[in-house]
Amino acid sequence: MTTRIVKRLVAAQQALVVEDRRTALLALLDAWREVRHPRIADLIDFVSEQLGGERFPGKTLAAKLETWQAVAANRDPADLGRLLAHPWPGTWQKALPMLQALVRFDDDPRLAMHLARTVDATQYVTWSSSQFYIPLIRRLDELGDVRTLPLLRAQLGKDKPPFYARVMRRYEEASVEALEDAFPDGPPALDEPTGAALAAIEALYAEPIARRARKTRGDAEYLAAIHEHPDDLEARAVYADWLQEHGDPRGEFITLQLARLHGEPSAAAIARERKLLDEHGRAWAGGPDSFFERHDRIFEGGFLVGGRLRRVEDATFGDPAWSLVRVLIGDGWSTDALLEQLVATPALRSLRAVHGLTERTAARIASGALTGLAELGFIGEVSDPTEEHPLAHCRALPDLRVLAIVDLDDTLAAQLRDAPVFERIERLMIAPGAPVRSWLEPLARCDGALREIELVASRDGSLVREDGCHVRLSRSRAPDEFSTVHVHYRSSDRAPTSRFATELVTALACIPQRWPRTIVVDAGRKLMLDAEDRVRLAEALSRFTQLEQLDVPWDRVPSEAARAGVVLEVKLAGGGLLDPAKIAAVWDVLGELEPHYDAMHVGHGSALRPLGKDPVARLAKWAANPKIEEVMLVRDGHPERAGLGRSERLGATYVRCCVERSRDELVAWLVRLLALGTFEKGAIEPTGLGPFQLELRDLGVARPGWIMVLAPRASRVFPVDAVAALADRPPLAGLVAVEAPRNLVISPAPSLAELTQARFDALAAGLHEIAARRLRTIVGFDVAARLRDKLGPIAAELGLAFQHATSTRVAYGSPSGLQLEGWLDDPLGTPKLRAGMRSTGKRKVHWHLVRGDQPAIPREQAAELARAAAERAGIEWTATLLMH
């Protein structure tokens, strides 16, 4: 074996001399597979870095992954380096095909380290992610790379989410044990010829080997200094420069965050920070990362300094990175015990802020000796008026400067009104509410250090998130009124723009009307708000009688009057309109009703976005994004809107408009709209249409309307000529039936004034007659008669009486609310007789069947009896007893 290894190493050296790196890589891989030595693996890394390779092209992630898979299918070791450089997707389901492609490669130390780093990062933590990690660890065990042992051993000390740890911890431990058994004395020994051949290759990489050693040593030294002196920002700046010299992106991240500490960052700088964190956040967070929710970690000065806690069992605090943690955010009872443990841990010597405590735990901390705490936040509970809160006379916490209280009640507000803690509190953070309104006036009359009151709409008990609506009241001296109001708002998934107006109006209502002289709203970028929201905000701001300066980032409420006409709603089940190729045609058809859309919502609850000067191009751009399922077009200050859905089967299309059009004009317009998508059913109806009924639920009509849309397959059962002929009946005079390319459009009345329940009843009867005739031809028998023949004996056996029948359905029932129904399933497609039983009662208990004077039959027995009877009748059974 020694001779084979030496020959391969010599071949690798000769190939490198002539810069044939691909041949050298293959030779080194053959040598590593013989002995699995880390020195050979390190050389493979260096050669692979020199091979490099282009990134995978594609405008979307799906396109890039498609190219990635095509390259991976070749299993070329020369491509493995760039394949591994591509990040895992956001979910394990999307990452699994990548893993399956990687594990098919021949044994390779690069793959081993990549899989070990994936286990360490634990990007996927859902209960089902074991389907990704189990095959990953099995392949890692097969590779047997001793270099992965320190990393795998260290990550065992991390507290990982319970969903992951419950299944995967034993696999991780078994993997470490297997490596320790395979290499009990460290890497395998090399004989002299092999060592000499390796040294000859290493001489070619003397500089990168030395640089890697210096970087490893330098990293440890710099980090040790930073952990030892957490407040020394200069040490971080020096470390950032050194990292950038070595091409490490963390250097740029630290520099960006240090700049943030010295001034307001630009939007580009914030975006770059977020991108770097998304790519490297887990690797940079260190050991404490497993204690914090991924999307609620706080980085400052380039390092993790805390965040929102997750529940962790068997916590350990040996990692030196804990010395940098200064902010802990709990969520009440579920993290209180962990918070108390962390607060008492000497390792957290930089701890300055604790938020999200329960009131009782906050009281214990306030009575304790945590002298360095500068911020304390807790969730107020209903206080016992007979017991004084420890904060009311708290002389502990000498450094406390920020106090945050969520769910402040009247009792606690009264106890804290004259608390000496406000002699040193500089900023008070509270959630808007009734007790706050009565509390602000006394606070303004108090002397002390209080200069800011921040009103924050909170749903989690922390009050310290950067997103959402923060209303900061400030004053220059005490006692005095808080005359300056600064509103800071940043949207996010947890704080969408749709909540902004509500949260700001609630906060403004707490402020005494004579206080504000200046109100400035900073929303990061110009907000587009619905006219209704702007009216609410204008009313909320108008109550401030002493206001001298108002700076808001939204336009005034439009003064243009709403258009005349009936407000109609077009509701269609289906979509296909959110297609770049169709946008121009869709815009033209919508424009025929002259709606003048000027803004849009992209997805549910999103911010309002302007359509701009070229709305078709802007819409086409969003339609090209496959992640966008819906776009809602709106007209500022008016009821007009149009929802365009992507999905043709499960989506929805909605148009609300003011029109002065005849029924025939609307029918023609609807036919043109239907031609652009794929729709199952729908209707045009005026806002507030009366409670009309139309019993056609099995025949492709969703709801009664002035103009109705039947499913594409409806022509099989409802020939347009036969439907149009119903207009000859006196109750249906004026009815029209028109064929769209895929749908049937029916309108039972020529005007809204003539739309009555009698017309809908006559329409239902006529359509059922047509359906009965057509279905008799299609299935070969009278559906209602066949169902009565089949289910009649079953109903009699169960003590149920006949109730009603249509062309496709019969029903039997009892006074107790039990119903046995039979129907023709899918009459517009492949008809099939089916039966089921349900309860229409309102009692939230199990129902029983009663057979004459016999005792009640238990639910399960009744269901089995009905099922057996239906099977004897040759009808497919679809359901047991259902509660409605």
Side-chain angles (χ1 to χ4, degrees):
M1 183 178 72
T2 299
T3 304
R4 290 199 305 271
I5 296 174
V6 171
K7 284 183 178 179
R8 290 180 173 89
L9 293 176
V10 170
Q13 180 198 16
Q14 293 172 347
L16 288 171
V17 169
V18 297
E19 298 186 355
D20 184 359
R21 296 186 179 89
R22 175 184 170 79
T23 300
L25 176 68
L26 298 177
L28 287 170
L29 283 170
D30 286 341
W32 179 82
R33 290 168 188 147
E34 293 280 357
V35 71
R36 314 264 161 160
H37 200 281
R39 286 173 63 186
I40 303 176
D42 289 343
L43 289 172
I44 290 171
D45 288 342
F46 292 131
V47 175
S48 182
E49 290 172 6
Q50 289 181 320
L51 279 172
E54 298 179 355
R55 292 188 176 185
F56 300 99
K59 292 184 178 180
T60 65
L61 177 60
K64 292 178 181 178
L65 288 177
E66 184 177 353
T67 308
W68 188 97
Q69 287 285 2
V71 173
N74 297 324
R75 300 189 206 175
D76 187 343
D79 292 325
L80 185 59
R82 65 183 180 124
L83 289 169
L84 298 179
H86 192 75
W88 294 110
T91 64
W92 72 262
Q93 291 89 344
K94 293 181 179 179
L96 187 58
M98 293 178 62
L99 176 66
Q100 292 169 339
L102 290 174
V103 299
R104 296 189 186 101
F105 275 76
D106 293 334
D107 289 3
D108 193 310
R110 297 171 293 170
L111 178 59
M113 284 302 298
H114 182 70
L115 298 182
R117 293 188 187 105
T118 301
V119 173
D120 178 61
T122 322
Q123 180 175 345
Y124 312 116
V125 294
T126 60
W127 65 270
S128 58
S129 62
S130 59
Q131 299 177 57
F132 172 84
Y133 285 109
I134 289 175
L136 184 152
I137 290 183
R138 285 175 178 165
R139 183 65 177 117
L140 187 58
D141 292 343
E142 294 170 354
L143 290 167
D145 184 358
V146 69
R147 296 186 308 167
T148 65
L149 184 55
L151 181 60
L152 292 174
R153 189 184 284 144
Q155 64 88 34
L156 286 179
K158 290 186 176 182
D159 291 286
K160 298 188 178 182
F163 279 140
Y164 174 91
R166 190 177 303 122
V167 176
M168 294 308 305
R169 186 62 83 189
R170 58 191 176 93
Y171 288 93
E172 295 176 348
E173 293 171 347
S175 183
V176 169
E177 290 177 6
L179 280 170
E180 290 174 340
D181 292 341
F183 303 99
D185 302 317
L190 295 176
D191 55 34
E192 185 175 345
T194 303
L198 262 177
I201 302 176
E202 289 170 340
L204 300 175
Y205 289 95
E207 183 177 345
I209 290 174
R211 186 167 59 248
R212 176 182 286 188
R214 287 194 303 272
K215 187 175 187 305
T216 302
R217 184 173 61 253
D219 259 330
E221 292 174 355
Y222 280 116
L223 287 173
I226 291 170
H227 293 152
E228 183 65 27
H229 305 284
D231 298 327
D232 186 355
L233 298 183
E234 184 61 30
R236 302 188 188 199
V238 172
Y239 181 43
D241 292 340
W242 182 83
L243 287 170
Q244 288 180 300
E245 290 174 1
H246 287 79
D248 192 320
R250 188 175 190 180
E252 180 189 1
F253 178 70
I254 295 174
T255 300
L256 287 169
Q257 290 224 306
L258 288 175
R260 178 198 283 258
L261 296 176
H262 296 95
E264 185 71 19
S266 66
I270 292 175
R272 180 60 178 162
E273 268 189 46
R274 289 175 178 170
K275 186 175 189 302
L276 289 169
L277 265 184
D278 288 343
E279 293 178 358
H280 308 286
R282 280 183 175 268
W284 294 343
D289 177 58
S290 58
F291 283 74
F292 300 102
E293 296 290 350
R294 182 181 179 190
H295 297 293
D296 287 303
R297 296 175 300 191
I298 301 173
F299 281 78
E300 287 183 3
F303 291 82
L304 178 71
V305 298
R308 176 169 296 281
L309 291 166
R310 61 159 62 111
R311 296 182 64 180
V312 177
E313 300 173 0
D314 302 324
T316 56
F317 311 105
D319 195 302
W322 279 110
S323 67
L324 305 179
V325 172
R326 67 172 193 82
V327 181
L328 300 176
I329 304 171
D331 60 359
W333 290 108
S334 66
T335 57
D336 244 25
L338 177 59
L339 269 173
E340 287 199 76
Q341 184 181 6
L342 287 167
V343 166
T345 302
L348 275 74
R349 51 198 177 90
S350 297
L351 187 60
R352 296 293 181 270
V354 182
H355 290 267
L357 293 161
T358 62
E359 185 181 10
R360 295 173 184 174
T361 303
R364 286 197 292 271
I365 291 178
S367 304
L370 192 63
T371 58
L373 200 64
E375 298 183 21
L376 177 65
F378 62 94
I379 303 172
E381 303 159 355
V382 179
S383 302
D384 185 347
T386 64
E387 296 182 6
E388 189 174 60
H389 195 280
L391 277 173
H393 293 286
C394 176
R395 296 291 179 182
L397 306 177
D399 294 335
L400 191 65
R401 297 295 179 268
V402 177
L403 181 64
I405 308 174
V406 182
D407 294 338
L408 176 74
D409 61 33
D410 292 317
T411 301
L412 182 58
Q415 291 188 5
L416 296 182
R417 188 164 295 155
D418 300 318
V421 72
F422 287 109
E423 296 173 3
R424 55 190 183 279
I425 291 295
E426 298 173 357
R427 180 157 59 111
L428 174 66
M429 304 178 71
I430 45 180
V436 173
R437 288 193 287 272
S438 61
W439 204 30
L440 292 185
E441 291 274 15
L443 285 175
R445 294 193 294 268
C446 292
D447 204 347
L450 186 62
R451 295 294 181 270
E452 290 185 0
I453 299 175
E454 190 164 347
L455 305 175
V456 187
S458 174
R459 291 170 176 80
D460 54 34
S462 70
L463 301 181
V464 293
R465 280 179 170 160
E466 290 186 358
D467 58 4
C469 187
H470 296 245
V471 180
R472 188 173 70 248
L473 289 68
S474 59
R475 63 182 177 181
S476 58
R477 65 180 184 273
D480 201 355
E481 297 172 347
F482 292 80
S483 60
T484 300
V485 179
H486 186 274
V487 180
H488 177 88
Y489 174 77
R490 294 293 183 270
S491 63
S492 70
D493 292 340
R494 295 168 301 202
T497 305
S498 57
R499 293 183 192 160
F500 169 74
T502 299
E503 293 179 353
L504 181 53
V505 167
T506 301
L508 292 175
C510 298
I511 304 173
Q513 65 179 21
R514 70 176 186 280
W515 277 13
R517 303 295 195 276
T518 300
I519 297 180
V520 177
V521 179
D522 169 21
R525 61 180 182 179
K526 185 176 180 180
L527 280 175
M528 284 195 69
L529 299 174
D530 290 336
E532 180 181 349
D533 286 338
R534 280 176 282 159
V535 168
R536 294 166 58 206
L537 288 168
E539 292 174 350
L541 291 167
S542 66
R543 59 183 287 269
F544 299 120
T545 57
Q546 305 298 318
L547 196 59
E548 299 170 358
Q549 178 187 347
L550 177 62
D551 185 359
V552 298
W554 58 79
D555 298 328
R556 63 182 176 83
V557 179
S559 58
E560 179 187 354
R563 292 171 57 209
V566 178
V567 179
L568 293 178
E569 293 183 346
V570 184
K571 301 175 182 178
L572 301 172
L577 301 185
L578 200 59
D579 181 339
K582 299 179 182 178
I583 287 298
V586 171
W587 182 262
D588 288 342
V589 172
L590 293 176
E592 292 176 12
L593 298 181
E594 301 177 1
H596 305 296
Y597 303 115
D598 51 24
M600 64 179 173
H601 293 282
V602 180
H604 179 69
S606 68
L608 200 62
R609 305 170 188 267
L611 281 174
K613 296 180 179 179
D614 190 349
V616 172
R618 185 154 171 76
L619 281 171
K621 179 181 178 181
W622 282 107
N625 185 343
K627 294 182 179 180
I628 304 301
E629 289 294 331
E630 178 192 46
V631 168
M632 179 66 74
L633 305 176
V634 299
R635 184 184 180 199
D636 190 26
H638 300 272
E640 283 93 337
R641 57 185 52 225
L644 309 181
R646 181 178 305 281
S647 171
E648 295 185 349
R649 291 184 57 82
L650 303 177
T653 296
Y654 172 78
V655 179
R656 180 187 175 104
C657 52
C658 290
V659 297
E660 289 182 322
R661 302 293 179 92
S662 68
R663 190 269 309 272
D664 293 341
E665 288 175 318
L666 287 172
V667 168
W669 173 84
L670 181 61
V671 169
R672 289 192 289 276
L673 181 65
L674 293 172
L676 298 175
T678 303
F679 304 97
E680 285 297 314
K681 55 188 70 174
I684 295 182
E685 57 191 50
T687 302
L689 183 69
F692 297 125
Q693 301 294 322
L694 182 67
E695 292 298 327
L696 288 173
R697 56 178 170 167
D698 298 326
L699 295 174
V701 175
R703 59 203 307 153
W706 186 20
I707 303 170
M708 294 174 292
V709 178
L710 273 66
R713 299 170 296 173
S715 59
R716 183 170 185 246
V717 176
F718 299 110
V720 64
D721 294 340
V723 176
L726 295 177
D728 295 335
R729 303 184 181 187
L732 292 174
L735 175 143
V736 297
V738 177
E739 277 190 302
R742 287 179 288 271
N743 301 91
L744 179 62
V745 178
I746 303 174
S747 177
S751 68
L752 286 170
E754 299 172 81
L755 200 61
T756 62
Q757 183 62 55
R759 279 185 176 268
F760 284 115
D761 292 341
L763 176 62
L767 291 178
H768 275 300
E769 290 176 14
I770 296 171
R773 293 195 300 269
R774 292 289 296 170
L775 290 173
R776 189 179 300 114
T777 301
I778 294 171
V779 301
F781 53 82
D782 184 291
V783 174
R786 175 67 61 88
L787 287 171
R788 294 191 68 170
D789 289 344
K790 294 281 189 181
L791 294 184
I794 301 173
E797 183 180 359
L798 298 177
L800 305 177
F802 174 77
Q803 289 185 328
H804 64 269
T806 68
S807 59
T808 60
R809 182 177 295 266
V810 297
Y812 298 84
S814 70
S816 65
L818 289 172
Q819 281 193 334
L820 175 66
E821 292 190 354
W823 64 92
L824 186 68
D825 188 45
D826 194 18
L828 305 183
T830 306
K832 188 175 186 179
L833 289 179
R834 308 186 85 168
M837 180 173 284
R838 64 192 180 104
S839 168
T840 58
K842 296 181 180 179
R843 292 167 52 195
K844 298 300 181 183
V845 296
H846 286 176
W847 287 84
H848 302 279
L849 286 173
V850 179
R851 300 169 63 190
D853 296 330
Q854 298 181 25
I857 300 175
R859 172 190 177 97
E860 293 78 7
Q861 182 180 348
E864 186 55 39
L865 179 64
R867 182 190 300 275
E871 290 177 354
R872 289 198 305 273
I875 299 177
E876 183 176 352
W877 184 258
T878 63
T880 57
L881 291 173
L882 302 177
M883 301 300 298
H884 286 265

